[in-house]
Amino acid sequence: MFERCLYFNVNALARSVNRIWDQAFNEFGLSPAHAYLLRLVLAQPGISQKAIAKELKLEKSTITRFIDSLEDKGLLRRSKAGTEDSREQRIVATARAKRIHADLEKKGDELYYALCKKLGKHEIQKLVAQLRETTKLLG
C-alpha cells in the first residue's frame, strides 16, 4: 500500500534515524539538532543566525530557540563583535563547548561509520545526495 508513498517512507526512515541519533547525543545532554548546530558553530566561529538557518535548513525562529537553549546550557553566546549591522549577531562557542568539540566530532564520525558498515559507504553517500537534491527541488 505504501510502496510509492514518499511521505510515509521518509517519516519511517526519520523515526529510525532519530532513535539512533537521540541515543548517541543523549550522553552530551543534547538533542541531535542542538548537537549539529553546536558543531556548525564550532566549525565556523562567529557564524550568523541567518547562515545557520540556511545551512541547517531550518526557520530563523527555530534557530533562535536552539541558540537560546544552548546559551542556557553555557555552550553558546551571542556577540555583536565584527558585525557591520547593529542588529546582526554572531554566534560563538564557549570554552565549555570547545572542551566537548572533539567528542562531538567523534560521535558524528561513529554514527557515519556505523551506517556505512550497515548500508555501505557508497549507498549512504548516494542516499544523502539524493535526499539533499530532493529537498532542493521540493523547496
Side-chain angles (χ1 to χ4, degrees), residues 71-113:
E71 271 189 317
D72 290 345
K73 291 177 186 277
L75 296 167
L76 292 181
R77 65 180 176 81
R78 290 172 168 94
S79 171
K80 290 193 181 201
T83 64
E84 293 178 18
D85 182 346
S86 63
R87 296 168 296 166
E88 185 179 14
Q89 296 179 330
R90 299 294 179 175
I91 310 304
V92 294
T94 64
R96 181 170 180 232
K98 291 174 184 176
R99 286 193 296 273
I100 65 169
H101 186 188
D103 292 332
L104 286 171
E105 293 303 315
K106 181 179 177 190
K107 185 58 69 178
D109 289 344
E110 288 172 3
L111 289 165
Y112 175 72
Y113 293 124

Side-chain angles (χ1 to χ4, degrees), residues 1-9:
M1 178 173 175
F2 297 109
E3 299 84 21
R4 300 180 337 174
C5 182
L6 178 63
Y7 176 82
F8 177 81
N9 288 291

Side-chain angles (χ1 to χ4, degrees), residues 4-138:
R4 300 180 337 174
C5 182
L6 178 63
Y7 176 82
F8 177 81
N9 288 291
V10 167
N11 279 292
L13 175 61
R15 286 189 300 276
S16 295
V17 169
N18 280 333
R19 248 188 324 275
I20 295 165
W21 262 249
D22 283 342
Q23 185 177 21
F25 288 105
N26 188 47
E27 73 181 76
F28 299 99
L30 298 171
S31 71
H34 288 123
Y36 276 84
L37 188 150
L38 183 56
R39 290 176 68 196
L40 178 59
V41 172
L42 286 160
Q44 297 180 41
I47 189 171
S48 69
Q49 286 186 230
K50 184 178 179 179
I52 293 170
K54 184 177 179 183
E55 181 68 26
L56 296 181
K57 295 175 180 40
L58 294 170
E59 295 295 322
K60 192 173 178 217
S61 60
T62 301
I63 298 303
T64 298
R65 285 194 318 276
F66 285 5
I67 292 169
D68 289 345
S69 176
L70 291 168
E71 271 189 317
D72 290 345
K73 291 177 186 277
L75 296 167
L76 292 181
R77 65 180 176 81
R78 290 172 168 94
S79 171
K80 290 193 181 201
T83 64
E84 293 178 18
D85 182 346
S86 63
R87 296 168 296 166
E88 185 179 14
Q89 296 179 330
R90 299 294 179 175
I91 310 304
V92 294
T94 64
R96 181 170 180 232
K98 291 174 184 176
R99 286 193 296 273
I100 65 169
H101 186 188
D103 292 332
L104 286 171
E105 293 303 315
K106 181 179 177 190
K107 185 58 69 178
D109 289 344
E110 288 172 3
L111 289 165
Y112 175 72
Y113 293 124
L115 281 182
C116 286
K117 187 175 181 182
K118 275 188 176 182
L119 304 174
K121 184 178 180 178
H122 176 71
E123 291 304 314
I124 288 295
Q125 290 173 337
K126 190 167 90 176
L127 176 60
V128 170
Q130 287 174 330
L131 289 169
R132 289 177 68 89
E133 183 60 28
T134 302
T135 299
K136 256 195 273 185
L137 292 172
L138 295 177

